[in-house]
PDB file of all heavy atoms in Angstrom:
ATOM      1  N   ASN C   1       4.761   7.573 -21.536  1.00  0.00           N
ATOM      2  CA  ASN C   1       4.754   8.283 -20.268  1.00  0.00           C
ATOM      3  C   ASN C   1       3.403   8.212 -19.570  1.00  0.00           C
ATOM      4  O   ASN C   1       3.231   8.766 -18.506  1.00  0.00           O
ATOM      5  CB  ASN C   1       5.154   9.745 -20.491  1.00  0.00           C
ATOM      6  CG  ASN C   1       5.647  10.376 -19.220  1.00  0.00           C
ATOM      7  OD1 ASN C   1       5.946   9.700 -18.253  1.00  0.00           O
ATOM      8  ND2 ASN C   1       5.727  11.696 -19.231  1.00  0.00           N
ATOM      9  N   GLY C   2       2.437   7.525 -20.137  1.00  0.00           N
ATOM     10  CA  GLY C   2       1.107   7.471 -19.543  1.00  0.00           C
ATOM     11  C   GLY C   2       0.995   6.438 -18.435  1.00  0.00           C
ATOM     12  O   GLY C   2       1.878   5.616 -18.227  1.00  0.00           O
ATOM     13  N   LYS C   3      -0.108   6.490 -17.727  1.00  0.00           N
ATOM     14  CA  LYS C   3      -0.363   5.544 -16.655  1.00  0.00           C
ATOM     15  C   LYS C   3      -1.191   4.408 -17.230  1.00  0.00           C
ATOM     16  O   LYS C   3      -2.291   4.612 -17.703  1.00  0.00           O
ATOM     17  CB  LYS C   3      -1.091   6.232 -15.517  1.00  0.00           C
ATOM     18  CG  LYS C   3      -0.270   7.333 -14.883  1.00  0.00           C
ATOM     19  CD  LYS C   3      -1.058   8.046 -13.831  1.00  0.00           C
ATOM     20  CE  LYS C   3      -0.216   9.168 -13.246  1.00  0.00           C
ATOM     21  NZ  LYS C   3      -0.945   9.984 -12.296  1.00  0.00           N
ATOM     22  N   GLY C   4      -0.651   3.195 -17.180  1.00  0.00           N
ATOM     23  CA  GLY C   4      -1.333   2.055 -17.768  1.00  0.00           C
ATOM     24  C   GLY C   4      -2.019   1.181 -16.747  1.00  0.00           C
ATOM     25  O   GLY C   4      -2.200   1.547 -15.586  1.00  0.00           O
ATOM     26  N   GLU C   5      -2.395  -0.005 -17.200  1.00  0.00           N
ATOM     27  CA  GLU C   5      -3.123  -0.944 -16.357  1.00  0.00           C
ATOM     28  C   GLU C   5      -2.297  -1.404 -15.168  1.00  0.00           C
ATOM     29  O   GLU C   5      -2.813  -1.540 -14.067  1.00  0.00           O
ATOM     30  CB  GLU C   5      -3.533  -2.162 -17.187  1.00  0.00           C
ATOM     31  CG  GLU C   5      -4.692  -1.924 -18.121  1.00  0.00           C
ATOM     32  CD  GLU C   5      -5.056  -3.202 -18.847  1.00  0.00           C
ATOM     33  OE1 GLU C   5      -5.420  -4.186 -18.158  1.00  0.00           O
ATOM     34  OE2 GLU C   5      -4.963  -3.218 -20.073  1.00  0.00           O
ATOM     35  N   GLU C   6      -1.005  -1.670 -15.406  1.00  0.00           N
ATOM     36  CA  GLU C   6      -0.163  -2.147 -14.310  1.00  0.00           C
ATOM     37  C   GLU C   6       0.009  -1.066 -13.242  1.00  0.00           C
ATOM     38  O   GLU C   6       0.030  -1.357 -12.048  1.00  0.00           O
ATOM     39  CB  GLU C   6       1.196  -2.608 -14.839  1.00  0.00           C
ATOM     40  CG  GLU C   6       1.927  -3.487 -13.853  1.00  0.00           C
ATOM     41  CD  GLU C   6       3.008  -4.307 -14.521  1.00  0.00           C
ATOM     42  OE1 GLU C   6       2.663  -5.326 -15.158  1.00  0.00           O
ATOM     43  OE2 GLU C   6       4.179  -3.924 -14.407  1.00  0.00           O
ATOM     44  N   TRP C   7       0.119   0.187 -13.676  1.00  0.00           N
ATOM     45  CA  TRP C   7       0.222   1.291 -12.716  1.00  0.00           C
ATOM     46  C   TRP C   7      -1.046   1.346 -11.865  1.00  0.00           C
ATOM     47  O   TRP C   7      -0.970   1.468 -10.645  1.00  0.00           O
ATOM     48  CB  TRP C   7       0.419   2.615 -13.448  1.00  0.00           C
ATOM     49  CG  TRP C   7       0.487   3.775 -12.504  1.00  0.00           C
ATOM     50  CD1 TRP C   7       1.607   4.298 -11.935  1.00  0.00           C
ATOM     51  CD2 TRP C   7      -0.615   4.535 -11.992  1.00  0.00           C
ATOM     52  NE1 TRP C   7       1.285   5.335 -11.096  1.00  0.00           N
ATOM     53  CE2 TRP C   7      -0.087   5.500 -11.113  1.00  0.00           C
ATOM     54  CE3 TRP C   7      -1.988   4.501 -12.172  1.00  0.00           C
ATOM     55  CZ2 TRP C   7      -0.881   6.417 -10.429  1.00  0.00           C
ATOM     56  CZ3 TRP C   7      -2.783   5.406 -11.491  1.00  0.00           C
ATOM     57  CH2 TRP C   7      -2.220   6.361 -10.632  1.00  0.00           C
ATOM     58  N   LEU C   8      -2.215   1.250 -12.498  1.00  0.00           N
ATOM     59  CA  LEU C   8      -3.483   1.298 -11.776  1.00  0.00           C
ATOM     60  C   LEU C   8      -3.612   0.113 -10.820  1.00  0.00           C
ATOM     61  O   LEU C   8      -4.031   0.273  -9.669  1.00  0.00           O
ATOM     62  CB  LEU C   8      -4.660   1.321 -12.756  1.00  0.00           C
ATOM     63  CG  LEU C   8      -6.047   1.427 -12.124  1.00  0.00           C
ATOM     64  CD1 LEU C   8      -6.203   2.749 -11.378  1.00  0.00           C
ATOM     65  CD2 LEU C   8      -7.119   1.295 -13.194  1.00  0.00           C
ATOM     66  N   PHE C   9      -3.222  -1.068 -11.282  1.00  0.00           N
ATOM     67  CA  PHE C   9      -3.258  -2.267 -10.447  1.00  0.00           C
ATOM     68  C   PHE C   9      -2.382  -2.075  -9.201  1.00  0.00           C
ATOM     69  O   PHE C   9      -2.801  -2.362  -8.072  1.00  0.00           O
ATOM     70  CB  PHE C   9      -2.780  -3.469 -11.268  1.00  0.00           C
ATOM     71  CG  PHE C   9      -2.771  -4.767 -10.519  1.00  0.00           C
ATOM     72  CD1 PHE C   9      -3.954  -5.416 -10.217  1.00  0.00           C
ATOM     73  CD2 PHE C   9      -1.576  -5.342 -10.131  1.00  0.00           C
ATOM     74  CE1 PHE C   9      -3.954  -6.629  -9.534  1.00  0.00           C
ATOM     75  CE2 PHE C   9      -1.558  -6.546  -9.440  1.00  0.00           C
ATOM     76  CZ  PHE C   9      -2.748  -7.192  -9.142  1.00  0.00           C
ATOM     77  N   SER C  10      -1.195  -1.549  -9.406  1.00  0.00           N
ATOM     78  CA  SER C  10      -0.264  -1.309  -8.304  1.00  0.00           C
ATOM     79  C   SER C  10      -0.800  -0.281  -7.318  1.00  0.00           C
ATOM     80  O   SER C  10      -0.750  -0.464  -6.100  1.00  0.00           O
ATOM     81  CB  SER C  10       1.077  -0.834  -8.885  1.00  0.00           C
ATOM     82  OG  SER C  10       1.951  -0.456  -7.877  1.00  0.00           O
ATOM     83  N   TYR C  11      -1.355   0.795  -7.847  1.00  0.00           N
ATOM     84  CA  TYR C  11      -1.862   1.873  -7.000  1.00  0.00           C
ATOM     85  C   TYR C  11      -3.065   1.423  -6.174  1.00  0.00           C
ATOM     86  O   TYR C  11      -3.152   1.684  -4.976  1.00  0.00           O
ATOM     87  CB  TYR C  11      -2.223   3.084  -7.863  1.00  0.00           C
ATOM     88  CG  TYR C  11      -2.446   4.336  -7.055  1.00  0.00           C
ATOM     89  CD1 TYR C  11      -1.364   5.071  -6.583  1.00  0.00           C
ATOM     90  CD2 TYR C  11      -3.729   4.777  -6.757  1.00  0.00           C
ATOM     91  CE1 TYR C  11      -1.562   6.223  -5.831  1.00  0.00           C
ATOM     92  CE2 TYR C  11      -3.935   5.921  -6.007  1.00  0.00           C
ATOM     93  CZ  TYR C  11      -2.846   6.642  -5.550  1.00  0.00           C
ATOM     94  OH  TYR C  11      -3.035   7.758  -4.798  1.00  0.00           O
ATOM     95  N   ARG C  12      -3.997   0.701  -6.808  1.00  0.00           N
ATOM     96  CA  ARG C  12      -5.184   0.210  -6.093  1.00  0.00           C
ATOM     97  C   ARG C  12      -4.791  -0.819  -5.022  1.00  0.00           C
ATOM     98  O   ARG C  12      -5.368  -0.859  -3.948  1.00  0.00           O
ATOM     99  CB  ARG C  12      -6.201  -0.398  -7.060  1.00  0.00           C
ATOM    100  CG  ARG C  12      -6.815   0.600  -8.003  1.00  0.00           C
ATOM    101  CD  ARG C  12      -7.789   1.521  -7.263  1.00  0.00           C
ATOM    102  NE  ARG C  12      -8.425   2.395  -8.199  1.00  0.00           N
ATOM    103  CZ  ARG C  12      -8.293   3.714  -8.206  1.00  0.00           C
ATOM    104  NH1 ARG C  12      -7.547   4.307  -7.309  1.00  0.00           N
ATOM    105  NH2 ARG C  12      -8.903   4.454  -9.100  1.00  0.00           N
ATOM    106  N   PHE C  13      -3.802  -1.653  -5.360  1.00  0.00           N
ATOM    107  CA  PHE C  13      -3.332  -2.616  -4.361  1.00  0.00           C
ATOM    108  C   PHE C  13      -2.744  -1.878  -3.160  1.00  0.00           C
ATOM    109  O   PHE C  13      -3.020  -2.239  -2.016  1.00  0.00           O
ATOM    110  CB  PHE C  13      -2.276  -3.552  -4.955  1.00  0.00           C
ATOM    111  CG  PHE C  13      -1.618  -4.410  -3.914  1.00  0.00           C
ATOM    112  CD1 PHE C  13      -2.250  -5.544  -3.433  1.00  0.00           C
ATOM    113  CD2 PHE C  13      -0.384  -4.063  -3.382  1.00  0.00           C
ATOM    114  CE1 PHE C  13      -1.668  -6.323  -2.446  1.00  0.00           C
ATOM    115  CE2 PHE C  13       0.209  -4.826  -2.395  1.00  0.00           C
ATOM    116  CZ  PHE C  13      -0.428  -5.971  -1.928  1.00  0.00           C
ATOM    117  N   ALA C  14      -1.936  -0.852  -3.402  1.00  0.00           N
ATOM    118  CA  ALA C  14      -1.323  -0.090  -2.310  1.00  0.00           C
ATOM    119  C   ALA C  14      -2.392   0.527  -1.413  1.00  0.00           C
ATOM    120  O   ALA C  14      -2.279   0.477  -0.180  1.00  0.00           O
ATOM    121  CB  ALA C  14      -0.405   0.989  -2.878  1.00  0.00           C
ATOM    122  N   GLN C  15      -3.420   1.099  -2.002  1.00  0.00           N
ATOM    123  CA  GLN C  15      -4.506   1.686  -1.210  1.00  0.00           C
ATOM    124  C   GLN C  15      -5.216   0.628  -0.364  1.00  0.00           C
ATOM    125  O   GLN C  15      -5.492   0.848   0.814  1.00  0.00           O
ATOM    126  CB  GLN C  15      -5.524   2.373  -2.130  1.00  0.00           C
ATOM    127  CG  GLN C  15      -5.015   3.650  -2.756  1.00  0.00           C
ATOM    128  CD  GLN C  15      -6.052   4.250  -3.694  1.00  0.00           C
ATOM    129  OE1 GLN C  15      -6.729   3.542  -4.436  1.00  0.00           O
ATOM    130  NE2 GLN C  15      -6.159   5.569  -3.648  1.00  0.00           N
ATOM    131  N   THR C  16      -5.506  -0.525  -0.969  1.00  0.00           N
ATOM    132  CA  THR C  16      -6.202  -1.597  -0.261  1.00  0.00           C
ATOM    133  C   THR C  16      -5.329  -2.157   0.858  1.00  0.00           C
ATOM    134  O   THR C  16      -5.801  -2.393   1.968  1.00  0.00           O
ATOM    135  CB  THR C  16      -6.607  -2.713  -1.246  1.00  0.00           C
ATOM    136  OG1 THR C  16      -7.392  -2.146  -2.287  1.00  0.00           O
ATOM    137  CG2 THR C  16      -7.393  -3.808  -0.553  1.00  0.00           C
ATOM    138  N   TYR C  17      -4.047  -2.364   0.569  1.00  0.00           N
ATOM    139  CA  TYR C  17      -3.127  -2.891   1.579  1.00  0.00           C
ATOM    140  C   TYR C  17      -3.029  -1.945   2.774  1.00  0.00           C
ATOM    141  O   TYR C  17      -3.102  -2.371   3.923  1.00  0.00           O
ATOM    142  CB  TYR C  17      -1.747  -3.121   0.961  1.00  0.00           C
ATOM    143  CG  TYR C  17      -0.724  -3.594   1.954  1.00  0.00           C
ATOM    144  CD1 TYR C  17      -0.718  -4.915   2.398  1.00  0.00           C
ATOM    145  CD2 TYR C  17       0.228  -2.723   2.467  1.00  0.00           C
ATOM    146  CE1 TYR C  17       0.206  -5.354   3.320  1.00  0.00           C
ATOM    147  CE2 TYR C  17       1.158  -3.157   3.394  1.00  0.00           C
ATOM    148  CZ  TYR C  17       1.147  -4.473   3.811  1.00  0.00           C
ATOM    149  OH  TYR C  17       2.073  -4.902   4.733  1.00  0.00           O
ATOM    150  N   LEU C  18      -2.894  -0.668   2.500  1.00  0.00           N
ATOM    151  CA  LEU C  18      -2.784   0.312   3.578  1.00  0.00           C
ATOM    152  C   LEU C  18      -4.073   0.357   4.404  1.00  0.00           C
ATOM    153  O   LEU C  18      -4.030   0.437   5.629  1.00  0.00           O
ATOM    154  CB  LEU C  18      -2.469   1.691   3.001  1.00  0.00           C
ATOM    155  CG  LEU C  18      -2.037   2.770   3.981  1.00  0.00           C
ATOM    156  CD1 LEU C  18      -0.839   2.325   4.794  1.00  0.00           C
ATOM    157  CD2 LEU C  18      -1.705   4.047   3.236  1.00  0.00           C
ATOM    158  N   ALA C  19      -5.227   0.280   3.743  1.00  0.00           N
ATOM    159  CA  ALA C  19      -6.506   0.268   4.462  1.00  0.00           C
ATOM    160  C   ALA C  19      -6.640  -0.980   5.335  1.00  0.00           C
ATOM    161  O   ALA C  19      -7.157  -0.913   6.448  1.00  0.00           O
ATOM    162  CB  ALA C  19      -7.664   0.338   3.475  1.00  0.00           C
ATOM    163  N   GLU C  20      -6.153  -2.120   4.852  1.00  0.00           N
ATOM    164  CA  GLU C  20      -6.201  -3.352   5.637  1.00  0.00           C
ATOM    165  C   GLU C  20      -5.257  -3.300   6.824  1.00  0.00           C
ATOM    166  O   GLU C  20      -5.514  -3.923   7.845  1.00  0.00           O
ATOM    167  CB  GLU C  20      -5.848  -4.567   4.772  1.00  0.00           C
ATOM    168  CG  GLU C  20      -6.973  -5.070   3.933  1.00  0.00           C
ATOM    169  CD  GLU C  20      -6.649  -6.397   3.283  1.00  0.00           C
ATOM    170  OE1 GLU C  20      -5.608  -7.013   3.605  1.00  0.00           O
ATOM    171  OE2 GLU C  20      -7.444  -6.830   2.435  1.00  0.00           O
ATOM    172  N   CYS C  21      -4.154  -2.589   6.698  1.00  0.00           N
ATOM    173  CA  CYS C  21      -3.169  -2.507   7.778  1.00  0.00           C
ATOM    174  C   CYS C  21      -3.730  -1.786   8.985  1.00  0.00           C
ATOM    175  O   CYS C  21      -3.362  -2.087  10.116  1.00  0.00           O
ATOM    176  CB  CYS C  21      -1.907  -1.790   7.314  1.00  0.00           C
ATOM    177  SG  CYS C  21      -0.842  -2.817   6.304  1.00  0.00           S
ATOM    178  N   ARG C  22      -4.603  -0.841   8.781  1.00  0.00           N
ATOM    179  CA  ARG C  22      -5.107  -0.037   9.903  1.00  0.00           C
ATOM    180  C   ARG C  22      -5.740  -0.896  10.996  1.00  0.00           C
ATOM    181  O   ARG C  22      -5.265  -0.897  12.112  1.00  0.00           O
ATOM    182  CB  ARG C  22      -6.069   1.030   9.394  1.00  0.00           C
ATOM    183  CG  ARG C  22      -5.338   2.112   8.646  1.00  0.00           C
ATOM    184  CD  ARG C  22      -6.245   3.268   8.287  1.00  0.00           C
ATOM    185  NE  ARG C  22      -5.467   4.264   7.561  1.00  0.00           N
ATOM    186  CZ  ARG C  22      -5.662   4.589   6.300  1.00  0.00           C
ATOM    187  NH1 ARG C  22      -6.626   4.032   5.613  1.00  0.00           N
ATOM    188  NH2 ARG C  22      -4.901   5.490   5.716  1.00  0.00           N
ATOM    189  N   PRO C  23      -6.807  -1.660  10.696  1.00  0.00           N
ATOM    190  CA  PRO C  23      -7.395  -2.451  11.780  1.00  0.00           C
ATOM    191  C   PRO C  23      -6.549  -3.650  12.189  1.00  0.00           C
ATOM    192  O   PRO C  23      -6.491  -4.013  13.338  1.00  0.00           O
ATOM    193  CB  PRO C  23      -8.733  -2.907  11.208  1.00  0.00           C
ATOM    194  CG  PRO C  23      -8.610  -2.788   9.742  1.00  0.00           C
ATOM    195  CD  PRO C  23      -7.589  -1.711   9.479  1.00  0.00           C
ATOM    196  N   ARG C  24      -5.854  -4.273  11.224  1.00  0.00           N
ATOM    197  CA  ARG C  24      -5.116  -5.500  11.509  1.00  0.00           C
ATOM    198  C   ARG C  24      -3.917  -5.247  12.404  1.00  0.00           C
ATOM    199  O   ARG C  24      -3.562  -6.056  13.235  1.00  0.00           O
ATOM    200  CB  ARG C  24      -4.654  -6.109  10.177  1.00  0.00           C
ATOM    201  CG  ARG C  24      -4.202  -7.523  10.264  1.00  0.00           C
ATOM    202  CD  ARG C  24      -4.112  -8.121   8.883  1.00  0.00           C
ATOM    203  NE  ARG C  24      -3.286  -7.370   7.985  1.00  0.00           N
ATOM    204  CZ  ARG C  24      -2.016  -7.621   7.747  1.00  0.00           C
ATOM    205  NH1 ARG C  24      -1.404  -8.585   8.364  1.00  0.00           N
ATOM    206  NH2 ARG C  24      -1.340  -6.886   6.884  1.00  0.00           N
ATOM    207  N   ARG C  25      -3.278  -4.109  12.246  1.00  0.00           N
ATOM    208  CA  ARG C  25      -2.071  -3.814  12.990  1.00  0.00           C
ATOM    209  C   ARG C  25      -2.340  -3.225  14.374  1.00  0.00           C
ATOM    210  O   ARG C  25      -1.426  -3.041  15.146  1.00  0.00           O
ATOM    211  CB  ARG C  25      -1.199  -2.837  12.203  1.00  0.00           C
ATOM    212  CG  ARG C  25      -0.596  -3.446  10.973  1.00  0.00           C
ATOM    213  CD  ARG C  25       0.602  -4.233  11.325  1.00  0.00           C
ATOM    214  NE  ARG C  25       1.081  -4.968  10.170  1.00  0.00           N
ATOM    215  CZ  ARG C  25       1.870  -6.011  10.249  1.00  0.00           C
ATOM    216  NH1 ARG C  25       2.242  -6.468  11.407  1.00  0.00           N
ATOM    217  NH2 ARG C  25       2.276  -6.622   9.168  1.00  0.00           N
ATOM    218  N   SER C  26      -3.589  -2.911  14.711  1.00  0.00           N
ATOM    219  CA  SER C  26      -3.868  -2.245  15.983  1.00  0.00           C
ATOM    220  C   SER C  26      -3.487  -3.109  17.184  1.00  0.00           C
ATOM    221  O   SER C  26      -3.108  -2.595  18.216  1.00  0.00           O
ATOM    222  CB  SER C  26      -5.339  -1.839  16.058  1.00  0.00           C
ATOM    223  OG  SER C  26      -6.141  -2.988  15.957  1.00  0.00           O
ATOM    224  N   ASN C  27      -3.566  -4.437  17.072  1.00  0.00           N
ATOM    225  CA  ASN C  27      -3.219  -5.320  18.178  1.00  0.00           C
ATOM    226  C   ASN C  27      -1.761  -5.779  18.112  1.00  0.00           C
ATOM    227  O   ASN C  27      -1.307  -6.488  18.987  1.00  0.00           O
ATOM    228  CB  ASN C  27      -4.136  -6.547  18.183  1.00  0.00           C
ATOM    229  CG  ASN C  27      -5.571  -6.158  18.430  1.00  0.00           C
ATOM    230  OD1 ASN C  27      -5.841  -5.185  19.113  1.00  0.00           O
ATOM    231  ND2 ASN C  27      -6.489  -6.904  17.851  1.00  0.00           N
ATOM    232  N   SER C  28      -1.062  -5.407  17.099  1.00  0.00           N
ATOM    233  CA  SER C  28       0.310  -5.825  16.911  1.00  0.00           C
ATOM    234  C   SER C  28       1.270  -4.841  17.572  1.00  0.00           C
ATOM    235  O   SER C  28       0.955  -3.673  17.762  1.00  0.00           O
ATOM    236  CB  SER C  28       0.606  -5.908  15.408  1.00  0.00           C
ATOM    237  OG  SER C  28       1.970  -6.133  15.193  1.00  0.00           O
ATOM    238  N   LYS C  29       2.454  -5.335  17.912  1.00  0.00           N
ATOM    239  CA  LYS C  29       3.486  -4.430  18.441  1.00  0.00           C
ATOM    240  C   LYS C  29       3.912  -3.439  17.366  1.00  0.00           C
ATOM    241  O   LYS C  29       4.199  -2.300  17.648  1.00  0.00           O
ATOM    242  CB  LYS C  29       4.688  -5.234  18.916  1.00  0.00           C
ATOM    243  CG  LYS C  29       4.446  -5.977  20.198  1.00  0.00           C
ATOM    244  CD  LYS C  29       5.700  -6.677  20.646  1.00  0.00           C
ATOM    245  CE  LYS C  29       5.447  -7.409  21.946  1.00  0.00           C
ATOM    246  NZ  LYS C  29       6.632  -8.140  22.397  1.00  0.00           N
ATOM    247  N   LYS C  30       3.962  -3.917  16.130  1.00  0.00           N
ATOM    248  CA  LYS C  30       4.325  -3.048  15.009  1.00  0.00           C
ATOM    249  C   LYS C  30       3.045  -2.402  14.495  1.00  0.00           C
ATOM    250  O   LYS C  30       2.390  -2.909  13.607  1.00  0.00           O
ATOM    251  CB  LYS C  30       5.051  -3.833  13.931  1.00  0.00           C
ATOM    252  CG  LYS C  30       6.388  -4.348  14.437  1.00  0.00           C
ATOM    253  CD  LYS C  30       7.196  -5.001  13.385  1.00  0.00           C
ATOM    254  CE  LYS C  30       8.510  -5.456  13.994  1.00  0.00           C
ATOM    255  NZ  LYS C  30       9.335  -6.170  13.057  1.00  0.00           N
ATOM    256  N   ASN C  31       2.704  -1.275  15.093  1.00  0.00           N
ATOM    257  CA  ASN C  31       1.403  -0.655  14.862  1.00  0.00           C
ATOM    258  C   ASN C  31       1.446   0.558  13.944  1.00  0.00           C
ATOM    259  O   ASN C  31       0.466   1.269  13.831  1.00  0.00           O
ATOM    260  CB  ASN C  31       0.776  -0.268  16.200  1.00  0.00           C
ATOM    261  CG  ASN C  31       1.674   0.658  17.009  1.00  0.00           C
ATOM    262  OD1 ASN C  31       2.756   1.028  16.568  1.00  0.00           O
ATOM    263  ND2 ASN C  31       1.230   1.009  18.190  1.00  0.00           N
ATOM    264  N   ARG C  32       2.563   0.800  13.302  1.00  0.00           N
ATOM    265  CA  ARG C  32       2.658   1.923  12.364  1.00  0.00           C
ATOM    266  C   ARG C  32       3.068   1.381  11.001  1.00  0.00           C
ATOM    267  O   ARG C  32       3.847   0.435  10.913  1.00  0.00           O
ATOM    268  CB  ARG C  32       3.708   2.938  12.841  1.00  0.00           C
ATOM    269  CG  ARG C  32       3.502   3.510  14.228  1.00  0.00           C
ATOM    270  CD  ARG C  32       2.402   4.536  14.323  1.00  0.00           C
ATOM    271  NE  ARG C  32       2.494   5.601  13.375  1.00  0.00           N
ATOM    272  CZ  ARG C  32       3.126   6.750  13.566  1.00  0.00           C
ATOM    273  NH1 ARG C  32       3.736   7.000  14.695  1.00  0.00           N
ATOM    274  NH2 ARG C  32       3.132   7.675  12.633  1.00  0.00           N
ATOM    275  N   THR C  33       2.557   1.997   9.946  1.00  0.00           N
ATOM    276  CA  THR C  33       2.843   1.549   8.584  1.00  0.00           C
ATOM    277  C   THR C  33       3.045   2.750   7.669  1.00  0.00           C
ATOM    278  O   THR C  33       2.287   3.714   7.738  1.00  0.00           O
ATOM    279  CB  THR C  33       1.677   0.699   8.032  1.00  0.00           C
ATOM    280  OG1 THR C  33       1.480  -0.423   8.879  1.00  0.00           O
ATOM    281  CG2 THR C  33       1.963   0.207   6.624  1.00  0.00           C
ATOM    282  N   ALA C  34       4.055   2.670   6.822  1.00  0.00           N
ATOM    283  CA  ALA C  34       4.271   3.657   5.756  1.00  0.00           C
ATOM    284  C   ALA C  34       4.464   2.883   4.459  1.00  0.00           C
ATOM    285  O   ALA C  34       5.135   1.852   4.434  1.00  0.00           O
ATOM    286  CB  ALA C  34       5.489   4.518   6.053  1.00  0.00           C
ATOM    287  N   VAL C  35       3.849   3.375   3.391  1.00  0.00           N
ATOM    288  CA  VAL C  35       3.893   2.705   2.091  1.00  0.00           C
ATOM    289  C   VAL C  35       4.346   3.704   1.035  1.00  0.00           C
ATOM    290  O   VAL C  35       3.849   4.827   0.989  1.00  0.00           O
ATOM    291  CB  VAL C  35       2.502   2.135   1.726  1.00  0.00           C
ATOM    292  CG1 VAL C  35       2.508   1.520   0.348  1.00  0.00           C
ATOM    293  CG2 VAL C  35       2.050   1.119   2.759  1.00  0.00           C
ATOM    294  N   ALA C  36       5.285   3.274   0.192  1.00  0.00           N
ATOM    295  CA  ALA C  36       5.755   4.116  -0.919  1.00  0.00           C
ATOM    296  C   ALA C  36       5.939   3.256  -2.158  1.00  0.00           C
ATOM    297  O   ALA C  36       6.249   2.065  -2.063  1.00  0.00           O
ATOM    298  CB  ALA C  36       7.056   4.812  -0.555  1.00  0.00           C
ATOM    299  N   ARG C  37       5.741   3.877  -3.313  1.00  0.00           N
ATOM    300  CA  ARG C  37       5.850   3.162  -4.584  1.00  0.00           C
ATOM    301  C   ARG C  37       7.184   3.439  -5.258  1.00  0.00           C
ATOM    302  O   ARG C  37       7.786   4.487  -5.059  1.00  0.00           O
ATOM    303  CB  ARG C  37       4.727   3.612  -5.538  1.00  0.00           C
ATOM    304  CG  ARG C  37       3.343   3.316  -5.029  1.00  0.00           C
ATOM    305  CD  ARG C  37       2.250   3.793  -5.987  1.00  0.00           C
ATOM    306  NE  ARG C  37       2.271   5.229  -6.184  1.00  0.00           N
ATOM    307  CZ  ARG C  37       2.468   5.828  -7.357  1.00  0.00           C
ATOM    308  NH1 ARG C  37       2.645   5.127  -8.437  1.00  0.00           N
ATOM    309  NH2 ARG C  37       2.463   7.125  -7.444  1.00  0.00           N
ATOM    310  N   GLU C  38       7.626   2.466  -6.068  1.00  0.00           N
ATOM    311  CA  GLU C  38       8.796   2.577  -6.939  1.00  0.00           C
ATOM    312  C   GLU C  38      10.035   3.046  -6.190  1.00  0.00           C
ATOM    313  O   GLU C  38      10.586   4.108  -6.466  1.00  0.00           O
ATOM    314  CB  GLU C  38       8.469   3.462  -8.134  1.00  0.00           C
ATOM    315  CG  GLU C  38       7.354   2.867  -8.971  1.00  0.00           C
ATOM    316  CD  GLU C  38       7.072   3.636 -10.244  1.00  0.00           C
ATOM    317  OE1 GLU C  38       7.932   4.415 -10.679  1.00  0.00           O
ATOM    318  OE2 GLU C  38       5.980   3.449 -10.791  1.00  0.00           O
ATOM    319  N   ILE C  39      10.487   2.203  -5.268  1.00  0.00           N
ATOM    320  CA  ILE C  39      11.684   2.480  -4.477  1.00  0.00           C
ATOM    321  C   ILE C  39      12.849   1.697  -5.080  1.00  0.00           C
ATOM    322  O   ILE C  39      12.807   0.469  -5.131  1.00  0.00           O
ATOM    323  CB  ILE C  39      11.464   2.078  -2.999  1.00  0.00           C
ATOM    324  CG1 ILE C  39      10.301   2.846  -2.392  1.00  0.00           C
ATOM    325  CG2 ILE C  39      12.737   2.269  -2.187  1.00  0.00           C
ATOM    326  CD1 ILE C  39      10.505   4.334  -2.265  1.00  0.00           C
ATOM    327  N   PRO C  40      13.922   2.376  -5.516  1.00  0.00           N
ATOM    328  CA  PRO C  40      15.060   1.676  -6.108  1.00  0.00           C
ATOM    329  C   PRO C  40      16.032   1.165  -5.043  1.00  0.00           C
ATOM    330  O   PRO C  40      16.237   1.804  -4.023  1.00  0.00           O
ATOM    331  CB  PRO C  40      15.721   2.770  -6.958  1.00  0.00           C
ATOM    332  CG  PRO C  40      15.412   4.028  -6.217  1.00  0.00           C
ATOM    333  CD  PRO C  40      14.052   3.829  -5.593  1.00  0.00           C
ATOM    334  N   ALA C  41      16.599   0.000  -5.289  1.00  0.00           N
ATOM    335  CA  ALA C  41      17.672  -0.544  -4.453  1.00  0.00           C
ATOM    336  C   ALA C  41      18.824  -0.875  -5.386  1.00  0.00           C
ATOM    337  O   ALA C  41      18.670  -1.710  -6.283  1.00  0.00           O
ATOM    338  CB  ALA C  41      17.205  -1.779  -3.709  1.00  0.00           C
TER     339      ALA C  41
END
């Protein structure tokens, strides 16, 4: 039940991706972003 390396890798990537979206998306028509982890389909 603990948080391992893959969990940390995933979480840090999500933070970095969201931070990159802020300036990059400002000139785009699609200027809003929402990110969520572990979504089942």
